[in-house]
Amino acid sequence: MGLSVDVAIVGAGTAGMPCAIEAVRAGAKVAVIEQAERIGGALHVSAAQMSGAGAKRQKSRGIADDWRTHLDDVLRISRGTCQADLVELATQLGGSTIDWLEEAGFEFDPVTPAILHFHEAYRTARTFWGVAGGRSVLKVVKPLFDSAMAQPNATLLLNSEVVALRQAKDGAVTGIVVRGKDGAEQTITAKHVVLATGGYGGNAERFARWTGGRKLHTAALPTATGAGIELGLAAGGVLRGGEHYLPTFAGIPAQSGGHQILWDQLPSLTPQVRAPWEVFVTSQGKRFVREDVDSVDARERALNALPDALFWAVFDARIWREAPPLLPGWKADELAAAWQSHENFVIAPTLEDLAKRIGCDAATLNATIAGYNDALRSGKPDPLGRESRPLPIAEAPFRAIRMHGMVLKTPSGLTVDRALRVVRADGSPIHGLYAIGEALGGATLSGNAFVGGMSVTPALGFGRWLGAKLAGRDLLEAA
Ligand SMILES: Cc1cc2nc3c(=O)[nH]c(=O)nc-3n(C[C@H](O)[C@H](O)[C@H](O)COP(=O)(O)OP(=O)(O)OC[C@H]3O[C@@H](n4cnc5c(N)ncnc54)[C@H](O)[C@@H]3O)c2cc1C
């Protein structure tokens, strides 16, 4: 006879692990199925900047905050385009999620909580991160997960992909079909099936299909396939959120034509950290945004309006010599090699040659740079209102680096109700089927903006809350 459980959790990543930990702790019989050979999902690469209000660490630093203020801030940044009832739940769980990590020995970056400017800034210092990004989260969650999986009421299947959901005649989900590495399939019967399968930022075809035909430029792992979302749709679920896509500002593609962004080697583009010395031009050679505008949301929207969401950072020999590093994550030998042979690093003796190499019209690029230089030299305001303009772009050789808006999390996902039940188009729940984490779609909690920390914290928080709930315990009532 096949395995029969109370809760089958598909995906042992950011959301799936805490879901399993709490469900096992509360006594449910649990199976966790993970397609990869390792657990952890996106935590292996995520910066895991997490937002949570009312955490003990915030209180101990005298920062007054609560979930309602956090909720208001999310509604402000997302311009009311998120799913407010779920953001309410996420913000209610945020502080206790941070406390849970702290109790498990999480190594906070000492500067946290902080106001972060990589995404649109909150009004209060409520963003936390670890000394090693997502790996700091994994370091404390993994032992809890391992010990849960060692309990007699738990089963963990690695290298095992869930390829179908089993449904009763009335549509209720009753189990899953699991395919092992050897191709053999087994059915696991489950009272509740939780899709914790992540987003689709590793799959260019689904990204185009679910995100308005866009081309993928991504820092996500290949395991972010979107296959779990597809399972929910096949069971009667509804996709939403793709219209809310906003690229993150910005990264260097590993190679032209490829979709991977060099995530560990991001350029320093946050004006609050490093004021820009370079000029950003489109593929046509025109400026498209005030490079030092405070709001990253404004920069991301300007980038999103470009059909290819790409720009070139253009500068000259003197800026390269004198400016603080634009590429702090690059070693000297890596940079030297990039300028010699990386197709996204262009160096040329004249602006005309530079234009030719980056594929834009030389007269247009010349006019753009002349407009910038002339205003600077004559003490007139910058044409786009920029304030940081330390030097003109005048000394050969000229340089340009190609940068793209990038995917960290994908916007589309399964529509759920406040109980995290996957719902049909008419709003009725598909009994027995739940979704958490990025499978909900990043836009659910961020709307048409990128709200900092509103992926990892809710993935952990919803995971814990749902795992306990499916085993008969409400963490919010218990608090
Ligand atoms: C580079 C990068 C930086 C980021 N930085 C931040 C940040 O600072 N703050 C923030 O809040 N968010 C950030 N994010 C987003 C955030 O990390 C993710 O949204 C979140 O971790 C996703 O959690 P998840 O549990 O939904 O998915 P994952 O953690 O990806 O877990 C999903 C798991 O499901 C497995 N799986 C998928 N399909 C199947 C299947 N059919 N059968 C079995 N297993 C399956 C996968 O292998 C994977 O292990 C970042 C993302 C990236 C890529």
Side-chain angles (χ1 to χ4, degrees):
M1 211 175 102
L3 185 61
S4 178
V5 296
D6 299 313
V7 187
I9 300 167
V10 190
T14 320
M17 288 187 296
C19 187
I21 291 165
E22 295 298 341
V24 170
R25 183 179 291 167
K29 190 170 177 194
V30 174
V32 182
I33 297 88
E34 168 56 53
Q35 67 182 357
E37 61 186 10
R38 63 177 186 181
I39 63 163
L43 290 176
H44 291 280
V45 291
S46 179
Q49 289 155 340
M50 299 172 284
S51 54
K56 287 181 188 146
R57 190 173 165 91
Q58 233 185 354
K59 287 184 193 140
S60 70
R61 280 155 179 75
I63 301 165
D65 199 11
D66 57 44
W67 69 264
R68 286 187 183 80
T69 318
H70 188 183
L71 171 64
D72 283 349
D73 241 1
V74 177
L75 292 173
R76 172 183 65 84
I77 294 170
S78 68
R79 303 168 192 205
T81 54
C82 53
Q83 185 177 333
D85 62 343
L86 277 190
V87 177
E88 184 177 303
L89 180 62
T91 51
Q92 284 174 346
L93 291 165
S96 59
T97 303
I98 303 295
D99 291 346
W100 178 68
L101 291 175
E102 182 163 19
E103 279 153 27
F106 185 71
E107 288 175 79
F108 289 94
D109 186 313
V111 303
T112 67
I115 293 183
L116 182 78
H117 293 278
F118 183 65
H119 303 299
E120 192 66 6
Y122 286 122
R123 292 190 169 126
T124 306
R126 66 167 73 89
T127 306
F128 304 82
W129 58 91
V131 293
R135 285 187 290 270
S136 293
V137 177
L138 194 54
K139 192 173 168 189
V140 295
V141 174
K142 186 175 181 300
L144 299 175
F145 180 75
D146 289 344
S147 96
M149 290 301 102
Q151 301 306 310
N153 53 333
T155 303
L156 171 64
L157 300 179
L158 294 174
N159 289 311
S160 301
E161 185 189 1
V162 174
V163 292
L165 301 178
R166 287 268 183 253
Q167 285 179 279
K169 281 203 180 104
D170 64 359
V173 169
T174 55
I176 54 179
V177 179
V178 182
R179 185 180 295 153
K181 220 177 174 183
D182 57 2
E185 291 188 357
Q186 63 168 309
T187 295
I188 299 178
T189 307
K191 288 185 197 140
H192 310 284
V193 172
V194 180
L195 296 173
T197 46
Y200 54 95
N203 184 303
E205 185 276 316
R206 284 196 180 110
F207 185 75
R209 186 148 49 90
W210 291 343
T211 319
R214 285 164 190 276
K215 198 161 179 274
L216 181 65
H217 291 281
T218 189
L221 288 171
T223 47
T225 63
I229 297 173
E230 209 83 79
L231 292 175
L233 296 179
V238 186
L239 193 76
R240 52 103 181 256
E243 73 282 11
H244 287 325
Y245 176 61
L246 195 64
T248 293
F249 200 92
I252 302 171
Q255 64 197 67
S256 297
H259 67 221
Q260 212 62 38
I261 290 286
L262 297 168
W263 169 248
D264 291 331
Q265 293 178 305
L266 285 187
S268 182
L269 299 177
T270 304
Q272 290 86 351
V273 175
R274 176 192 181 275
W277 292 47
E278 304 74 20
V279 161
F280 301 161
V281 305
T282 63
S283 324
Q284 286 73 42
K286 292 186 178 159
R287 286 174 71 198
F288 67 100
V289 72
R290 192 188 128 183
E291 293 85 349
D292 64 350
V293 65
D294 276 357
S295 161
V296 62
D297 190 70
R299 275 176 279 129
E300 287 170 348
R301 283 176 201 280
L303 185 56
N304 204 25
L306 305 178
D308 50 8
L310 88 81
F311 65 94
W312 292 86
V314 174
F315 49 104
D316 72 352
R318 186 160 172 212
I319 291 176
W320 183 240
R321 243 184 359 256
E322 295 184 18
L326 172 63
L327 302 171
W330 293 67
K331 298 191 189 104
D333 57 334
E334 289 171 334
L335 274 177
W339 286 116
Q340 281 209 338
S341 60
H342 197 298
E343 49 209 324
N344 296 321
F345 286 66
V346 174
I347 183 161
T350 64
L351 275 177
E352 288 71 23
D353 281 338
L354 196 77
K356 207 180 292 168
R357 302 263 322 270
I358 68 180
C360 73
D361 176 53
T364 308
L365 182 64
N366 255 326
T368 299
I369 300 302
Y372 176 76
N373 287 344
D374 291 350
L376 172 57
R377 287 184 178 127
S378 61
K380 290 194 185 131
D382 175 68
L384 297 187
R386 168 173 168 168
E387 285 171 8
S388 157
R389 36 185 191 158
L391 287 173
I393 295 171
E395 185 184 310
F398 297 92
R399 295 175 188 252
I401 303 175
R402 185 205 293 256
M403 302 188 183
H404 259 281
M406 61 183 165
V407 169
L408 298 186
K409 60 176 179 182
T410 38
S412 295
L414 294 165
T415 312
V416 295
D417 63 12
R418 158 102 190 194
L420 300 172
R421 297 177 299 187
V422 177
V423 298
R424 301 183 181 86
D426 64 5
S428 63
I430 301 171
H431 290 295
L433 187 63
Y434 305 79
I436 50 177
E438 210 176 312
L440 299 180
T444 300
L445 301 175
S446 277
N448 67 2
F450 199 118
V451 188
M454 283 305 280
S455 300
V456 168
T457 332
L460 296 167
F462 284 2
R464 290 189 69 218
W465 181 77
L466 183 65
K469 188 102 178 149
L470 295 179
R473 191 164 164 256
D474 191 319
L475 289 182
L476 279 176
E477 282 167 14

